[in-house]
Each structure stands twice: as C-alpha cells, then as structure tokens.
Amino acid sequence: MTEEIIIAGFGGQGVLSMGQILCYSGVMQEKEVSWMPSYGPEMRGGTANCTAIISDKDISSPVLNAFDTAIVLNQPSMDKFEDAVKPGGLLIYEENGMTRKPRRTDINICAIPAYDESIKMNNTKVFNMIVIGGFLKVKPILELENVIKGLKKVLPERYHNLIPLNEQAIRRGMEIIRTEHSLAK
Amino acid sequence: MKELRLMKGNEALAEAAIRAGADAYFGYPITPQSEIIEYLMRENPVERTGMIVLQAESEVAAINMVYGAAGCGKRAMTSSSSPGMSLKQEGISYIAGAELPCVLVNVVRGGPGLGTIQPSQSDYFQAVKGGGHGDYKLIVLAPATVQESVDYVKLAFELAFKYRNPIMILSDGIIGQMMEKVELFEQQPRLTEAPEWATVGKKPGRDSVIVTSLQLQSEEQEKVNLRLQAKYREIEKNEVRYETHLCEDAEYLFAAFGSCARITRKAMEMAREKGIKVGLIRPQTLYPFPVDAINKLAGQVKGILTVEMNAGQMVEDVRLAVNGKTKVEHFGRFGGMIPSPDEILNALEQKIIGG
C-alpha cells in the first residue's frame, strides 16, 4: 500500500496539520510516512498545501506531481490540483465556497460539506477533522484508534481534552461524505 | 534506548546538534532554515547540556563567533541559507586556514542574489570548490533524508575534530522542511578537556598556542598549504561516502545528491517499470567525491544523467570522474523549481537513451 495525498486550501483551514495528523497516525500504524509543506509566500495568504505519503515501503520522492488522492478545500486548490489526480484516483472537495463542480470523469469524486457540519457542531475548528473522517471512510488506510494516537502526538497536552470532540468530528465526516462520481461498477 | 520521532528536517538537525554534545550554536535567521535556531531557542539546551545558543547580530558575526569558539577547542556550529552562507565565506576561509573544527549547515534556497526561498542545490560549487578565498576544502555531507540530517551532525563533529577542518552539511529547502520518521541517537557528552591546540590560556611549562591564518613569510605559508593538501589527500582516501541503487544490471545511470536523489529514485522506479535498466548513484559526501565508484560504473553503462536543482554543477565532477568513458548529460530545474519524476524520466529518454 502506498497512498500519495495532496491536501490544499486556504491558510488557516488546517491544511498542514491534516497532513501531519495523517502522517503521525501512519507512524502509529508502523507505516513509512513523509510530509512536505508548501512554505512559500502562499503561507502568508492564498493557498497552502502539503503532500502526505503513507506507505508500507520506503518512500523515495517526498515531492510529487501526481497523486492518488487530492483533498481540496477551496476553488483555487481545485483548479490547481484536479488535474494532478492520477487516473482512477480520488478527489475530495469541500463544497463551501466552490464555484464549480470538478470536471474529470476518469477519477472518483466525493463531496463533503465539512464547514456546514462544523457549524452544526458549534466548533469550526474541527472542520479539518471532519474532512479527515470523510477521507478515511473512502480510503480506510488507517485505523481510527491510530488516528486518535496520532492526534495525541500532534496536539499539545493542554488540548488533549479536545480529543473526544475531534473523534466525534472524524465520525461525523465518515457519515456525511457523499460520492458524486464513482468508477466502481 | 533510541527514540523514534516524526520531525521536520531542520528541527531534527537542531536536536541532533544538542545530542552530539555541541558546545555552542551561533546563527542568524533566514528562510528556509529558521526552524534550526527557533528550535534551539525553544529547547534552551543550556539547561539540558550547557550548550550555548546565541542569535548573532549578523551572519558575519555568527561565523566569527564560531571561529572564536572553535579556537577554544569547543564544538561550535552555525547554520544559514544561501545568501547568508555567502556572507560567512570570509570566516569559513579563515577557519579552514587556521585549521579549526566546526560544523556549517547550508539549507540551500534558489539564487543568485536574494533569489527565492524555495529549495535549490545551486550552492554546490560554493560548498565543494571553496566559496571563500584560498586553496581550502570543506568536507561536504549531503543528507537526503531527515534521518541523515541527524546522523550527519554527529558525523560532522567527529570529522571536524579528526581533521581539524570545517565540515559543511549541504541540505536544502526540501530536506529542511519535510517531516519524516527519525531515530535520534543518545545524548553524547560535551567535551570536557580542551585539545592541545586550543587557545585556553598558557599554563607554565607549556608553549604558546597561536590560532591564526596569517603567515607573512611565503615559505611558511607554502608549508601551511602543503600541510592542508596532505590532509585533503588523507580525507579523499578515507572519507568518501556514497550509496548505489539497482546498479548491478544497470545500462544507464542517474547521478544525484540530496533531495534531488529522492525524486530521481522515483524516476528510476518508473523507468524500471517500463523495462529501462537504470541505476542511481548518490554521493553522500560531495567532497571527497566518489570518483572511483563513478569511474567504475562509467565502464558499465551507456550513459549517465546527473539530476540537480541547478544549471549543472555536480555534472562537472561527474565528467571529471568519468574521464570520457561514457556520455554524461545534465538535467536540472532551478530558481526554486523542483523537477518532477516524469520530467527526469523524460530527460533520461531524450538526452541519454535517445540522444
């Protein structure tokens, strides 16, 4: 198993920490992992992205131009990375603020209304965990218990009281993700 | 017990400096290596090991603080990124001339000038050929993983004191910024006794120790140069390090270092899937360069492609090593652009197989 993921959105949406959480969770599951952020001017406004790779094997390149999964959280990110999904791969997009639907027909496409859901949960900070939940529903490459362990590593101890809320968000994400286009017959 | 962590290259390197028993770090922030000084400031190692961390007023000040600490026989380190490393070159030449040990880290970004903050390998010449004046050499270690960023800090201090020579770790924006699993070595003790060449105050019955790179008598300065050259020959004999991948049956060869070698390995895997028998040699020391290994492989393959994030620097050393035995071409992206595995494979097909 090798899963090459790009996560992209506005700075502040938790894009970089989503990648870190997935990688920490991968470590908990004894996988090889690699996380590479964009650290340029895009971090100071505009789109931020990170590449997360989780694999059973040694990881060669930490930077890629084609991905198994693209998780895009705003329109500029969809414009930039829709074409970077490998044929047969997966595109997950957050519906809020998107001005168009994805155009590809040779990939699996899922939509997740994570922002709206986070408002329903009265905590927009768990937005990115809802998205992670959605991703893990479609690609169950990591056990939930390992994601929780990973969260404990990423979050400073003073925030560990928020882990149950994050777990709830992951579970909500798993419930609300919706397939829009599937290659499976 | 060894500890497994998920860490950024820069942070892991900083932690490794503490664990290697460094006495002092002097630096000045610059992207993409500021995490090194940030981590050290946060970690405040003076409480853990007594190691001093100081933000100097400039890069020039930082390298001269390193010079001073090294002259006292301390394990001193500085780090910067390309424009900052240019500022340090005078000091580096002085330290090499005075034959003092220290560790220099360059997390390379695109140039020339202020350039860009994105990753690059365009400081290869500066690191390997001597960015400062005079006939001196740095031992140059090129990590390709976060793990090597850690291991090379320990190795660098060992080599620095073994040869009384500055050692450069030539990282780049990718290795510095990425996170990977890393195993940290155990805390090493700091030096407790000053080496006999250290200027720590003359005791009765001992000759004066003078640290200098100045010899106004040409005869004396030539002797210094001869001693340096003898040392460099020794280093060339003992310290060559490299790694090969799938070279046994290779008909073609990639040569790449640092993060670019990682991307090139991906291109190699893709080429192998297409049935192209290509291998990879990755110099881990850029000086001393794996001349013999490359020369030997040159007799086996139909062509060599160097892949670098620069306009063609290591390719010159590869050509010297190959000495006309086979075709050598270069593929590079620069100015902060990162080559993709597809582009690299395409370049192999165009420039080496088809060319």
Side-chain angles (χ1 to χ4, degrees), chain A residues 74-115:
Chain A
N74 63 13
Q75 191 62 55
S77 299
M78 190 195 292
D79 294 345
K80 193 168 172 188
F81 292 112
E82 181 178 356
D83 288 339
V85 180
K86 293 178 195 168
L90 170 67
L91 176 77
I92 295 177
Y93 73 100
E94 147 65 33
E95 291 175 293
N96 198 292
M98 292 290 183
T99 54
R100 69 163 178 89
K101 294 264 182 193
R103 300 188 176 111
R104 295 270 298 267
T105 53
D106 61 337
I107 57 173
N108 297 294
I109 295 169
C110 293
I112 185 161
Y115 185 71

Side-chain angles (χ1 to χ4, degrees), chain A:
Chain A
M1 186 280 296
T2 297
E3 181 73 11
E4 298 169 333
I5 310 160
I6 179 95
I7 308 171
F10 288 121
Q13 278 181 314
V15 166
L16 301 186
S17 43
M18 282 169 73
Q20 282 189 11
I21 291 163
L22 289 174
C23 285
Y24 268 109
S25 312
V27 173
M28 297 302 145
Q29 212 162 303
E30 291 177 6
K31 304 284 183 199
E32 296 302 320
V33 300
S34 152
W35 175 88
M36 177 70 202
S38 59
Y39 63 91
E42 60 268 47
M43 276 176 70
R44 284 114 183 143
T47 60
N49 69 70
C50 70
T51 303
I53 308 173
I54 300 164
S55 180
D56 295 325
K57 297 181 302 189
D58 254 9
I59 294 165
S60 52
S61 178
V63 274
L64 301 165
N65 55 337
F67 303 91
D68 299 309
T69 299
I71 300 174
V72 295
L73 306 179
N74 63 13
Q75 191 62 55
S77 299
M78 190 195 292
D79 294 345
K80 193 168 172 188
F81 292 112
E82 181 178 356
D83 288 339
V85 180
K86 293 178 195 168
L90 170 67
L91 176 77
I92 295 177
Y93 73 100
E94 147 65 33
E95 291 175 293
N96 198 292
M98 292 290 183
T99 54
R100 69 163 178 89
K101 294 264 182 193
R103 300 188 176 111
R104 295 270 298 267
T105 53
D106 61 337
I107 57 173
N108 297 294
I109 295 169
C110 293
I112 185 161
Y115 185 71
D116 292 347
E117 194 62 31
S118 70
I119 289 175
K120 282 185 208 158
M121 289 178 72
N122 284 322
N123 193 334
T124 52
K125 283 183 186 158
V126 297
F127 161 80
N128 58 353
M129 299 309 297
I130 297 174
V131 179
I132 284 185
F135 166 69
L136 290 175
K137 169 77 183 179
V138 186
K139 291 232 171 151
I141 55 169
L142 298 166
E143 308 283 340
L144 184 57
E145 83 180 282
N146 288 323
V147 179
I148 302 302
K149 281 190 203 160
L151 261 177
K152 283 186 184 154
K153 284 275 180 187
V154 178
L155 289 175
E157 206 143 321
R158 62 182 186 279
Y159 294 129
H160 280 193
N161 60 330
L162 297 176
I163 285 173
L165 179 67
N166 280 287
E167 182 173 349
Q168 201 192 332
I170 295 171
R171 290 183 192 282
R172 281 304 294 152
M174 289 178 166
E175 287 160 23
I176 63 168
I177 192 158
R178 208 174 65 239
T179 301
E180 290 210 328
H181 182 261
S182 172
L183 297 173
K185 290 281 173 318

Side-chain angles (χ1 to χ4, degrees), chain B residues 87-103:
Chain B
L87 289 167
K88 292 183 200 281
Q89 292 304 319
E90 180 198 46
I92 295 171
S93 171
Y94 280 39
I95 295 170
E99 288 194 81
L100 291 176
C102 71
V103 176

Side-chain angles (χ1 to χ4, degrees), chain B residues 37-309:
Chain B
I37 190 167
E38 285 167 5
Y39 183 92
L40 288 171
M41 284 287 176
R42 216 168 42 234
E43 203 57 33
N44 198 20
V46 73
E47 287 178 3
R48 269 172 62 183
T49 66
M51 174 186 175
I52 302 293
V53 179
L54 188 74
Q55 178 175 333
E57 69 269 33
S58 71
E59 286 86 351
V60 176
I63 190 67
N64 283 291
M65 289 174 183
V66 168
Y67 189 8
C72 297
K74 298 292 181 190
R75 286 196 191 119
M77 174 171 134
T78 186
S79 66
S80 193
S81 180
S82 309
M85 212 31 101
S86 291
L87 289 167
K88 292 183 200 281
Q89 292 304 319
E90 180 198 46
I92 295 171
S93 171
Y94 280 39
I95 295 170
E99 288 194 81
L100 291 176
C102 71
V103 176
L104 315 160
V105 180
N106 185 358
V107 184
V108 182
R109 62 190 242 180
L114 276 178
T116 169
I117 61 173
Q118 298 300 328
S120 177
Q121 297 180 318
S122 49
D123 298 353
Y124 177 94
F125 280 153
Q126 188 195 55
V128 171
K129 309 291 178 188
H133 58 280
D135 268 324
Y136 76 90
K137 291 280 186 189
L138 309 173
I139 296 178
V140 183
L141 305 170
T145 60
V146 174
Q147 185 66 52
E148 282 185 343
S149 301
V150 165
D151 297 341
Y152 286 0
V153 174
K154 188 161 168 254
L155 174 66
F157 275 116
E158 286 164 10
L159 293 176
F161 276 75
K162 182 174 176 191
Y163 295 104
R164 282 177 62 186
N165 205 70
I167 314 294
M168 172 159 295
I169 298 177
L170 196 71
S171 178
D172 65 55
I174 295 177
I175 303 297
Q177 294 294 326
M178 71 181 295
M179 283 178 107
E180 278 187 309
K181 279 202 283 195
V182 61
E183 228 175 66
L184 296 166
F185 55 84
E186 280 175 46
Q187 179 67 49
Q188 308 292 304
R190 285 175 52 223
L191 290 175
T192 47
E193 269 178 56
E196 75 281 3
W197 46 262
T199 50
V200 289
K202 183 181 173 308
K203 292 185 184 67
R206 196 196 74 177
D207 285 344
S208 299
V209 172
I210 299 170
V211 166
T212 181
S213 66
L214 176 73
Q215 293 290 350
L216 288 174
Q217 300 293 334
S218 300
E219 292 82 358
E220 291 306 311
Q221 185 56 21
E222 189 178 46
K223 279 184 201 158
V224 171
N225 270 277
L226 288 169
R227 191 171 69 234
L228 289 176
Q229 291 305 317
K231 177 165 81 176
Y232 301 149
R233 297 299 89 74
E234 193 67 15
I235 289 170
E236 284 162 8
K237 208 170 71 194
N238 299 337
E239 306 302 342
V240 174
R241 288 168 171 80
Y242 63 93
E243 197 179 76
T244 56
H245 297 277
L246 305 180
C247 283
E248 296 73 23
D249 65 340
E251 291 173 7
Y252 305 98
L253 185 69
F254 284 124
F257 70 96
S259 61
C260 222
R262 301 275 300 262
I263 306 167
T264 305
R265 232 177 81 197
K266 181 90 182 174
M268 181 186 74
E269 289 162 10
M270 289 160 63
R272 287 269 169 180
E273 275 170 31
K274 287 177 81 173
I276 301 169
K277 287 185 178 170
V278 60
L280 167 69
I281 183 160
R282 175 173 75 88
Q284 293 163 304
T285 48
L286 301 178
Y287 177 81
F289 198 66
V291 173
D292 294 342
I294 290 178
N295 186 274
K296 196 158 159 255
L297 283 165
Q300 170 194 330
V301 299
K302 296 178 202 162
I304 301 176
L305 184 71
T306 72
V307 184
E308 305 171 67
M309 288 191 287

